[in-house]
Amino acid sequence: MWKLKIADGGNNPYIYSTNNFVGRQIWEFDPDYGIPEERAEVEAARENYWKNRFQVRPSSDLLWRMQFLKEKRFKQTIRQVKVENEEEITYETATTAMRRAAHFFSALQASDGHWPAENAGPLFLLPPLVMCLYITGHLETVFPEEYSKEMLRFIYCHQNEDGGWGLHVEAHSNMHCTVLNYICMRILGEGPDGGKDNACSRGRKWILDHGGAVSIPTWGKAWLSILGLFDWTGCKSMPPEFWLLPSFLPLQPAKMWCYFRLVYMPMSYLYGKRFVAPISPLILQLREELHTQPYNEINWKKVRHFCAKEDLYFPHLLIQDLVWDSIYIFTEPFLTRWPFNKLRKKALEITMKHIHYEDENSRYIDIACVEKVLCMLSCWVEDPYGDSFKKHLARLPDYIWIGEDGIKMQTFGSQLWDTSLGLEALLACKLTDEIGPTLMKGHDYLNKSQVRDNPSGDFRSMYRHICKGSWTFSDQDQGWQVSDCTAEGLKCCLLLSVMPPEIVGGKIEPERLYDAINVLLSLQSKNGGISAWEPAGTSKWLELLNPSELFEDVFIEQQYVECTASAIDALVLFKKLHPGHRKQEIENFIRKAVQYFEDIQRPDGSWYGNWGICFTYATWFALRGLAAAGKTYYNCLAVRKAANFLLKLQLEDGGWGESYLSCLAKKFTPLEGNRSNLVQTAWTLMGLIHSGQAERDPTPLHRAAKLLINSQKEDGDFPQQEINGASLRTCMIHYPNYRNIYPLWALAEYRQWVPLP
């Protein structure tokens, strides 16, 4: 059986940590672990997922939950409650449902204080990892038979009925993910017509029916070129000389969004090297299987801008295609020949220097999984036997997650994010006498997870921003500051600082809180909004050069409603508890942030969400931030418009439900069949409470709370429903802990702020 291990560094000499691996969560397979009944329970969960995979696409993330609940011998002892038709919700009923949810969620806490969970959903993450290990010859060493079995399970589980794979688990099929997952199955040992339910032949038919692999988007073309299934001349130019450009130019690495920069950094290295893996018999077979014409007859330059319509979310202007073609025509013929090839050599050295810097300062975790695999492959290309590649291998377990739907690759883990939100939900319950140990462990985790130092050396020359005092999305070792994670981590520490230390542990030193404030203040833009990772402000027109067809707004850093709201919430509380520290700067920050909300609010009263689905998510955050800043329904037009927007969308059962399609269309789109979603219902319930709805008319709040209470399961859990996280407009992320955190939090706020009999 599989077992989740916490804060475990193992015995690998190539792995190291800044905080003794606090927050690390890795899986191992132990053939002797578990009794027959437990193994049967796991198999039943897998079978149940398979049978219902087209009804609920995200997994319920059951394997680690089963393990933890058994290890802690958890048994729900608080009676289940239901609210009948026409029955009022009493204070006792709300309290009982909340306590049941709080006790269940507390039982899921890990030994180091964080809450583990899957953070996945995209279907283009796992295949490049498998391809990389296949190229380097380490596939069977890193992923023995049990791993391969679970990887194939994941691929089979998420194949659409039409034979293809989507960008994420709920998406329509596209060329990018169908080609990558088809290749992955073949590398993992399936024949051309193999796989469960004829997965390979159905996938190949989808590919060929939609134009063949030449229509894969830009990032896919690069991976196929690396494998020897495409030709680099058919790719958009990615010259490593880009890393030599001076800072005064408008197009320069420091002005790019960090994720985009760190994808193209190793990709440009591999492009500059024109690296192609050894051509194996399998690759020769795949050349025949993936293309609609003989491989040697394909005009690679002609297909450079081909992209299947199913993948084309961000169409490119003709001028952009001309720009990329011109870069290729006027640079590549020269930079590959003497004496200009000396410049190419220098560029490759500088690019590799940046790769090593990112690796070292993230303990070889890197900013996220796409970048991780590309950096790892670049290190192998530079030196197959070098320590850098070995250190990369040692950190691969950090990205592997196992659910009842198989092995998937994490984006990079949401340990800090889930834990800070979970602690806020538990603190809102005011159950200190019942869950004190949970709060103390969570506080200890936050204490040990704060980033203590800036990146090494002259970090600004390496295009890094300050991170001292921040919290990351995952764990301290990863090292990348995130504004909303910093804000939520800071708020938790502030809330815990006024509680008895014998219950929640000692408070964090003021100087460390000041460091967090410094990070937040540094990320506010001129328009009042706050960015996520690095200061925004680069010219918007650069986004027109975004070479990706799959994603929008990835070329430069943006401001985000959610990050801005989290920052306001934390800064207001900080100002109250530490009134003497940078008071005027904080007040100016809050004033500008409120103006930002008012300026970008949509005519219908909503805000667009970048990190959750979508208008429901962002509107809750905005109302939360505005309420913290002292804005009410009566003194702020933005609050009134937002409340009215949410009220109009309430469904017959009292809930709210929004489809991920809202993110793509940038227009509110209900779930099919006007279904409610419990997480989104919880967001909206809290948003309306922030707007003062309880004082005006609590009826909509009672209806929403009734849905949450009646949906609670016997053990205190809530059912897994549709995916709720978002990224890059088109890429949805699965947060299984949301189904516990947000209904719990909403019930706690409801119980506190809505008058009940």
Side-chain angles (χ1 to χ4, degrees):
M1 276 178 63
W2 293 94
K3 183 177 182 179
L4 183 64
K5 302 176 72 173
I6 300 298
D8 190 316
N11 301 316
N12 194 317
Y14 292 101
I15 192 171
Y16 57 99
S17 174
T18 56
N19 67 348
N20 201 27
F21 300 102
V22 169
R24 193 176 194 226
Q25 44 188 31
I26 60 172
W27 289 88
E28 74 169 13
F29 181 78
D30 182 351
D32 300 319
Y33 178 66
I35 60 177
E37 290 80 4
E38 292 170 346
R39 298 183 185 191
E41 188 179 1
V42 169
E43 288 304 318
R46 289 167 172 162
E47 183 63 26
N48 185 62
Y49 179 84
W50 175 260
K51 288 180 179 178
N52 297 286
R53 67 192 187 282
F54 296 127
Q55 282 70 54
V56 180
R57 299 296 185 106
S59 80
S60 296
D61 207 16
L62 292 177
L63 269 61
W64 75 272
R65 289 169 173 245
M66 291 175 179
Q67 175 190 329
F68 274 35
L69 294 175
K70 284 185 173 63
E71 288 175 350
K72 298 181 182 184
R73 299 179 180 177
F74 173 78
K75 183 174 178 61
Q76 183 62 264
T77 58
I78 304 169
R79 66 181 179 85
Q80 189 170 11
V81 290
K82 296 288 183 182
V83 182
E84 302 298 332
N85 290 337
E86 308 303 324
E87 182 184 356
E88 281 190 313
I89 301 175
T90 65
Y91 184 83
E92 181 183 356
T93 298
T95 300
T96 300
M98 181 195 73
R99 288 180 63 228
R100 297 178 79 252
H103 281 252
F104 180 84
F105 185 59
S106 295
L108 297 176
Q109 188 179 35
S111 57
D112 65 356
H114 87 276
W115 274 267
E118 169 187 337
N119 188 252
L123 298 179
F124 57 86
L125 306 182
L126 180 63
L129 174 60
V130 172
M131 294 174 193
C132 177
L133 293 174
Y134 173 75
I135 291 167
T136 61
H138 289 75
L139 182 60
E140 294 181 1
T141 305
V142 175
F143 294 140
E145 183 181 355
E146 284 297 328
Y147 286 82
S148 297
K149 176 182 173 182
E150 292 303 318
M151 288 177 175
L152 286 168
R153 185 194 306 277
F154 180 73
I155 294 171
Y156 302 151
C157 280
H158 295 289
Q159 186 173 28
N160 288 331
E161 291 175 281
D162 64 3
W165 284 264
L167 195 64
H168 55 85
V169 296
E170 291 189 2
H172 68 267
S173 299
N174 74 357
M175 186 65 72
H176 187 68
C177 289
T178 303
V179 169
L180 294 185
N181 280 280
Y182 180 84
I183 294 170
C184 189
M185 287 191 295
R186 297 286 281 113
I187 289 175
L188 291 172
E190 293 292 7
D193 299 314
K196 189 168 185 176
D197 285 359
N198 300 312
C200 287
S201 58
R202 291 167 58 221
R204 185 171 65 255
K205 183 178 186 305
W206 194 98
I207 293 166
L208 299 178
D209 285 350
H210 291 78
V214 295
S215 295
I216 198 170
T218 298
W219 288 8
K221 284 180 168 65
W223 269 110
L224 295 192
S225 298
I226 290 166
L227 273 173
L229 298 172
F230 202 83
D231 193 280
W232 282 112
T233 58
C235 294
K236 291 176 183 175
S237 186
M238 295 175 274
E241 288 74 22
F242 182 65
W243 303 93
L244 301 177
L245 295 177
S247 60
F248 63 82
L249 292 177
L251 185 61
Q252 199 264 349
K255 297 169 184 176
M256 297 164 61
W257 184 43
C258 55
Y259 272 76
F260 186 87
R261 181 172 73 239
L262 292 168
V263 166
Y264 275 87
M265 183 172 68
M267 205 174 273
S268 69
Y269 177 81
L270 296 166
Y271 175 88
K273 297 279 286 189
R274 289 299 192 276
F275 172 76
V276 178
I279 304 302
S280 66
L282 174 60
I283 296 301
L284 293 175
Q285 291 175 38
L286 286 169
R287 285 180 175 182
E288 295 181 5
E289 295 167 20
L290 292 171
H291 297 291
T292 58
Q293 66 183 108
Y295 184 81
N296 294 329
E297 296 178 13
I298 297 173
N299 184 335
W300 300 108
K301 294 179 182 178
K302 184 178 179 180
V303 302
R304 182 178 295 149
H305 303 299
F306 279 21
C307 181
K309 68 179 189 304
E310 292 79 8
D311 299 63
L312 191 58
Y313 177 72
F314 186 67
H316 294 157
L317 300 173
L318 177 61
I319 186 67
Q320 191 195 119
D321 291 341
L322 291 174
V323 167
W324 294 115
D325 286 343
S326 298
I327 292 174
Y328 180 86
I329 293 168
F330 293 111
T331 60
E332 291 306 314
F334 301 100
L335 292 169
T336 54
R337 293 180 175 86
W338 188 89
F340 300 103
N341 58 0
K342 295 181 183 294
L343 183 63
R344 171 59 53 93
K345 181 180 178 182
K346 177 67 174 176
L348 290 169
E349 291 172 356
I350 294 297
T351 305
M352 205 64 218
K353 178 182 176 182
H354 281 276
I355 291 171
H356 287 314
Y357 185 85
E358 163 63 9
D359 289 343
E360 290 292 334
N361 280 277
S362 64
R363 275 52 65 182
Y364 287 82
I365 299 172
D366 294 313
I367 193 170
C369 61
V370 173
E371 296 82 354
K372 160 75 176 177
V373 174
L374 286 165
C375 287
M376 180 169 69
L377 180 58
S378 298
C379 288
W380 183 83
V381 171
E382 182 193 41
D383 183 358
Y385 305 103
D387 285 354
S388 293
F389 179 66
K390 294 173 183 176
K391 291 175 182 178
H392 265 296
L393 289 175
R395 278 294 189 174
L396 283 181
D398 295 64
Y399 279 101
I400 299 303
W401 194 261
I402 303 173
E404 63 272 25
D405 58 341
I407 282 183
K408 68 276 313 245
M409 190 176 191
Q410 301 245 69
T411 59
F412 52 105
S414 56
Q415 297 96 301
L416 189 284
W417 179 246
D418 285 2
T419 299
S420 58
L421 294 174
L423 285 172
E424 288 184 66
L426 290 169
L427 287 166
C429 296
K430 302 188 183 307
L431 298 174
T432 306
D433 56 332
E434 298 182 33
I435 57 171
T438 301
L439 299 177
M440 178 176 282
K441 285 167 61 181
H443 194 191
D444 183 61
Y445 168 76
L446 291 177
N447 182 13
K448 293 175 179 176
S449 297
Q450 187 182 24
V451 177
R452 302 298 184 91
D453 297 295
N454 286 320
S456 62
D458 183 10
F459 59 88
R460 296 192 187 278
S461 70
M462 305 305 285
Y463 316 126
R464 284 294 303 267
H465 187 58
I466 59 171
C467 62
K468 183 181 180 182
S470 69
W471 278 272
T472 74
F473 190 64
S474 53
D475 59 24
Q476 187 190 83
D477 281 341
Q478 192 253 3
W480 271 90
Q481 71 285 345
V482 189
S483 61
D484 53 358
C485 298
T486 300
E488 301 296 350
L490 172 62
K491 185 183 177 185
C492 280
C493 292
L494 292 169
L495 290 170
L496 290 160
S497 72
V498 297
M499 298 177 70
E502 63 271 17
I503 295 176
V504 300
K507 64 179 68 175
I508 291 179
E509 298 88 346
E511 290 74 18
R512 289 172 56 194
L513 302 179
Y514 300 162
D515 287 337
I517 294 297
N518 191 46
V519 172
L520 292 177
L521 295 180
S522 75
L523 292 172
Q524 189 174 41
S525 301
K526 290 181 180 179
N527 67 359
I530 187 170
S531 52
W533 290 270
E534 298 171 331
T538 303
S539 300
K540 295 284 188 182
W541 66 264
L542 285 173
E543 192 62 44
L544 296 173
L545 297 178
N546 169 20
S548 171
E549 303 89 349
L550 290 166
F551 310 116
E552 186 179 4
D553 292 338
V554 297
F555 203 84
I556 60 174
E557 178 65 286
Q558 314 281 334
Q559 300 85 21
Y560 305 102
V561 170
E562 304 96 309
C563 298
T564 306
S566 292
I568 291 176
D569 209 17
L571 289 171
V572 167
L573 181 58
F574 177 84
K575 187 164 74 79
K576 178 182 177 182
L577 299 179
H578 299 267
H581 185 75
R582 302 178 75 169
K583 179 181 178 182
Q584 191 60 53
E585 290 177 76
I586 291 172
E587 289 178 350
N588 289 339
F589 182 106
I590 294 169
R591 176 182 53 79
K592 290 171 63 180
V594 168
Q595 186 63 51
Y596 167 75
F597 284 145
E598 294 175 344
D599 289 344
I600 70 164
Q601 187 178 29
R602 295 162 68 94
D604 64 1
S606 68
W607 286 268
Y608 181 89
N610 285 274
W611 308 114
I613 299 172
C614 169
F615 298 102
T616 313
Y617 185 69
T619 302
W620 163 57
F621 263 101
L623 284 169
R624 179 187 176 206
L626 288 168
K631 299 300 179 180
T632 70
Y633 188 89
Y634 300 104
N635 68 15
C636 180
L637 176 61
V639 173
R640 293 196 293 276
K641 290 170 62 179
N644 292 333
F645 166 78
L646 294 175
L647 288 170
K648 290 176 183 176
L649 296 173
Q650 190 168 28
L651 299 169
E652 188 176 344
D653 65 0
W656 282 262
E658 184 177 5
S659 168
Y660 79 88
L661 297 172
S662 290
C663 301
L664 285 72
K666 301 179 188 176
K667 178 182 177 182
F668 182 87
T669 306
L671 286 169
E672 186 178 351
N674 282 325
R675 300 191 308 274
S676 290
N677 180 283
L678 297 176
V679 171
Q680 294 166 6
T681 298
W683 293 337
T684 310
L685 174 56
M686 289 191 285
L688 288 171
I689 289 172
H690 290 312
S691 78
Q693 185 66 34
E695 302 167 6
R696 299 189 301 277
D697 175 14
T699 303
L701 308 180
H702 294 318
R703 294 176 61 215
K706 178 180 177 180
L707 178 64
L708 295 178
I709 292 169
N710 287 344
S711 299
Q712 191 175 38
K713 298 170 71 174
E714 188 176 350
D715 59 1
D717 196 1
F718 290 88
Q720 179 62 54
Q721 297 175 305
E722 297 82 8
I723 204 163
N724 278 298
S727 177
L728 309 179
R729 309 282 194 209
T730 59
C731 191
M732 306 304 125
I733 309 294
H734 181 33
Y735 294 83
N737 281 339
Y738 277 14
R739 75 174 190 264
N740 301 107
I741 293 169
Y742 287 113
L744 167 63
W745 196 351
L747 287 172
E749 296 287 345
Y750 172 76
R751 169 180 175 262
Q752 179 176 356
W753 298 107
V754 181
L756 298 171

